[in-house]
């Protein structure tokens, strides 16, 4: 047990609730789902680490590891999808390539 006693375990549900609120606020402020999802997952990781500090069990370790894995996979997917989307939006359709610019 840590020197903090059960305090991290008590704070973890509050951090989880604040993660949801912060994710919604980030989405409303930036209108970018990738940013909001990053904020949400980072704070959920913080809550998982608090649970791990309060009671180091295999379940709390697996929860924290799952959030880290989810964060990495979603981040990689968003980066790959963003490149494909931006490349498609920049390319002009074939029917417009031979039209003179107005």
């Amino acid at each position: 047990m840590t020197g903090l006693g059960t305090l991290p375990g008590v704070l973890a549900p509050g951090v989880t609730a604040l993660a949801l609120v912060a994710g919604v606020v980030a989405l409303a402020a930036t209108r970018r789902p990738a940013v909001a999802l990053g904020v949400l997952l980072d704070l959920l990781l913080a809550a998982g680490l608090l649970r791990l500090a309060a009671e180091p069990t295999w379940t709390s370790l697996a929860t924290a590891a799952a959030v880290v894995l989810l964060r990495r996979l979603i981040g990689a997917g968003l980066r790959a999808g963003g490149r494909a989307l931006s490349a498609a939006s920049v390319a002009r359709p074939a029917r417009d390539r031979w039209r003179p610019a107005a």
Side-chain angles (χ1 to χ4, degrees):
M1 189 59 92
T2 65
L4 296 174
T6 60
L7 183 63
V10 173
L11 291 176
V15 172
T16 302
L18 288 175
L20 295 171
V21 172
V24 170
V25 168
L27 180 62
T30 63
R31 300 204 186 273
R32 294 178 57 200
V35 172
L37 193 58
V39 168
L40 173 70
L41 289 173
D42 284 345
L43 289 173
L44 286 178
L45 177 60
L49 292 176
L50 282 171
R51 282 189 192 95
L52 188 60
E55 186 180 347
T57 63
W58 287 109
T59 304
S60 59
L61 180 63
T63 302
V67 172
V68 170
L69 180 65
L70 191 64
R71 172 79 166 106
R72 302 281 296 188
L73 288 174
I74 290 173
L78 287 173
R79 281 189 301 276
R83 281 194 301 267
L85 181 63
S86 64
S89 64
V90 172
R92 292 176 60 186
R95 67 178 187 277
D96 292 338
R97 287 191 186 140
W98 304 110
R99 285 188 190 164

